[in-house]
Amino acid sequence: MRCARRNRKSAARAQAAAPVSIAVDVPARDLGPWYALPMDGSESFEGLASRIEGDFRQQGRIRSFWEYLAEVRETPRRLLRSAPQYLRDMIEHYGSEETAILGVPTTRHKLCDGIEGDPERQRVVGQELAVDALYRAVRNFAETGRADKIVMMHGPNGSAKTTIADLLFKGLEAYSATPEGAIYRFAWVFPRTEVEGAGLGFGGRHPKAEDLDTFAYLEPDAIASTIASDMKTNPFYLVPRENRKALLEEFCGGTPSFPHVHVLRADMGTKSRAIFDSLMTAYKGDWKKVMRFVRVERFYISRRYRRAAVTIEPQGTVDAESRQVTADMNLANLPTALHNLRLFEVTGDLVDANRGLLEFSDFLKRPLELNKYLLTTTEKGTIRLPNALAYLDFVIIGSTNEKHLDAFKTDPNFTSFKARMELVTVPYLLEYEKEVEIYRDQMESIAKRLQVAPHASRAAALWAVLTRLWRPDPAHYEEPLRSAIGRLTPLAKALVYEGKDPGDLEDLAAEDVKLFRDHLAAIAGEWRDGVVFEGRFGASPREMKTILLDASFRTKTKCFTPVAVLAELRNLVRDKSVYDFLKLEPKGLYNNAARFVEDVERAVVRLVLRELQDSMALVDEEEYDRRFEEYFRHVTAYIRGTRVTDPRTGEERKPDPSVLRGVERLLPTGDDIDLFRQKLIGKVAASSLARPGTRLSYRTLFPEILRALKSDFYATRQVATSQVEDDLLLVGTPGWDSVPRDRRDQVETTLANMGSRHGYPRECALEMIGYALRRSRAQKKSDA
């Protein structure tokens, strides 16, 4: 049953039972910590101070226990969340959208885009499957209200495990500064014996201590001592356990809809419990009088200040301890009832992380003996220390690389730990366009010194992905994919993963390309759950960033192009002693980093030549669309047995065989031309049903036909295109002066289009065109 606001009868009953009449001031807006407020240079100091004070009060930074309890009555789900529920809500706060990664439907959490306002604006690129797996683990914890496992992210070095953890921390920090993310702790406040003249802090009367319903708002000079809750305990836990269930059900109008077992089970820290019990004894069970000593404080999660956000690096020390604090206090400042108490407080990383997130960085680099206590801690949610038992409420995440995980699996203790771990694989990316995004900072840095040609970072990303791919095993597939999978080269696989057409680069038949695309999820998932998963080995993004920077400093021209990247990669693959992935034994065409450099060069050359042909503008792009649409009008009429309407004359006539054959002669149609045409129309119909109301793009739906049409067009105009290519190679040489004016104009038009259509600075365009033409012509000469 959903928690509902109390009805009028219960409201009157609750109002009558309330010990004070202080109204709850729920802030309408939230500006975050006061030190984050913008300062207006023209504002007077007095005005600034007044504004800060007003914002402090509006944020509800301090309140009495009764005010807090009244707010819990209004929004119990929000204020009584456990750490897993809070973390889940934080991730959901930023939103999500459905997507697919390599054919696998998944959820993309927008937290991956980074936190708005963060000067670093960290992002997680391409790890949607890993982040969603982590979210689902947290969601499962939230269902029971407690995290009983460690979420262990594992993967190769540099695969974004640390970045994912950093975003979780930053998300929690930002969320805790929002109204819906408000989170509270409490402190004990003990007034001086005489408080005549001491106000309530924000104006009002000046009563004696015995007249006050709360000491939360006492002025500093009226306070004898303040003892904070070392565990950042939720103030609701000051309600005795035996009374919580009935109170919670009353607040929720019946059985609450959210898991609240943790609320009924949890308790305050050892120090606070000792103070609470002593005061209850002193006041003979008068709970209202005891609650006068409680000040509820809003706090903001902070990794810097270790408030509910802590990272533990590999170390050889324990993560928590207890110590006696009574001797450090001025006993005269405490009430008489507390003078004989031996108060112990708990400290350490686990305590600092309570109510939030705890990260074990490089978890398996720590001595195993130091981690064994986590088996009990995750199972019971407590940690036993000398003189103290700490109730813990946090989510534990960890990270480790594959080498340490492999070694750990051979340890006899692995089985016990595995039962308390939720393993989340974080591999290297297998989509090179997303890999390009990881290099953005490096490319922006390079762009400050050099002109940057398109595809420089793409060449690096494609090579990196090629080093990570694993050879398919035909035994894992059924026919007809089993027979074709052996023809899936590393370059073709990378292009299929990216949604590109590898047909012309790898001489693949259209039937093979379609088969690979249709079974993308099966191909990408072949090694996903194995020990040697795809993306476990290969070039690290960290290494690739260094390669890009080194290449930019070694380039001999004013332009940073793929040529410089390829040269750097050729140097890298010569030294197999440095990088582990270079030591892998080649399996067919796979695991061959040196060959991959040549594959990337072929891809770059082909891409630049396509852009060059397009930039020559020897035919209007609309001509391809016209020919597409004309062909499909005739195919549709042929299959349906209807007539074709001429768009210019309106005349109806039979489908023209010459129009059909003019396109189909360029395509691998197979022996059954009718079956080929039926499949085309079936694909058109399926696309129309999947995207109703959207104008069909034949270019997108049939890229192989577009490629064939363009190749045919340029083949019939080989003389004209060759002349433009020859003239481009003369730019900047003495021979350029002898080129006729009309041909110069054609060259300038081509270079201008290379800039406007494809993003090439003029110098970069000339460099890449020259490189691509020379490589292409040398290859043709070699083949001949």
Side-chain angles (χ1 to χ4, degrees), residues 633-644 653-655:
R633 281 202 309 273
H634 285 258
V635 169
T636 302
Y638 175 85
I639 295 298
R640 295 177 179 175
T642 59
R643 302 175 74 83
V644 178
R653 50 189 173 87
K654 292 182 178 180

Side-chain angles (χ1 to χ4, degrees), residues 149-170:
K149 290 184 178 182
I150 303 171
V151 182
M152 185 61 64
M153 295 183 287
H154 66 98
N157 292 328
S159 62
K161 300 183 294 295
T162 299
T163 304
I164 292 173
D166 288 346
L167 268 184
L168 291 175
F169 281 120
K170 291 187 175 184

Side-chain angles (χ1 to χ4, degrees), residues 340-541:
N340 294 324
L341 280 182
R342 296 179 63 223
L343 298 179
F344 292 87
E345 67 177 4
V346 291
T347 61
D349 296 323
L350 271 62
V351 175
D352 293 340
N354 201 45
R355 305 280 310 274
L357 182 65
L358 175 66
E359 178 200 10
F360 283 92
S361 180
D362 290 319
F363 180 80
L364 295 179
K365 288 184 180 180
R366 287 162 47 99
L368 185 60
E369 293 301 317
L370 289 180
N371 292 331
K372 284 186 176 180
Y373 75 90
L374 292 174
L375 295 175
T376 303
T377 297
T378 53
E379 180 180 2
K380 297 183 177 180
T382 61
I383 183 169
R384 186 170 294 280
L385 301 168
N387 307 303
L389 177 65
Y391 286 84
L392 300 172
D393 177 25
F394 49 43
V395 175
I396 303 177
I397 62 174
S399 62
T400 185
N401 61 40
E402 294 302 319
K403 287 185 177 180
H404 287 95
L405 183 58
D406 286 345
F408 185 44
K409 288 178 180 178
T410 64
D411 191 285
N413 295 291
F414 174 72
T415 303
S416 298
F417 274 92
K418 176 59 179 69
R420 291 299 168 196
M421 283 184 179
E422 191 76 32
L423 294 177
V424 173
T425 306
V426 188
Y428 289 143
L429 300 189
L430 302 177
E431 296 169 282
Y432 64 84
E433 292 291 355
K434 291 180 179 178
E435 181 84 5
V436 168
E437 289 295 305
I438 299 178
Y439 308 155
R440 181 187 297 177
D441 290 345
Q442 281 64 36
M443 296 305 296
E444 289 177 352
S445 174
I446 292 170
K448 295 176 181 177
R449 298 182 283 108
L450 299 169
Q451 292 182 329
V452 176
H455 318 311
S457 59
R458 186 170 287 107
L462 177 56
W463 182 82
V465 167
L466 288 172
T467 67
R468 302 165 186 170
L469 299 179
W470 218 240
R471 183 177 66 175
D473 184 348
H476 295 161
Y477 300 94
E478 301 292 336
E479 293 293 353
L481 188 57
R482 175 180 294 179
S483 299
I485 200 69
R487 296 189 287 274
L488 185 63
T489 65
L491 182 57
K493 192 174 189 180
L495 293 172
V496 169
Y497 278 2
E498 194 55 55
K500 307 288 186 183
D501 179 11
D504 59 340
L505 269 172
E506 294 294 79
D507 196 25
L508 284 172
E511 291 86 348
D512 283 347
V513 174
K514 182 179 184 303
L515 196 61
F516 298 147
R517 285 177 171 174
D518 291 345
H519 294 84
L520 173 60
I523 295 171
E526 178 182 3
W527 303 108
R528 182 174 291 128
D529 298 324
V531 175
V532 185
F533 53 86
E534 205 164 40
R536 170 173 177 169
F537 300 104
S540 162

Side-chain angles (χ1 to χ4, degrees), residues 665-686:
R665 68 180 175 82
L666 307 174
L667 307 172
T669 59
D671 296 332
D672 192 337
I673 189 65
D674 287 347
L675 178 61
F676 173 79
R677 292 170 180 173
Q678 287 173 358
K679 287 182 177 179
L680 289 183
I681 298 306
K683 190 172 182 178
V684 171

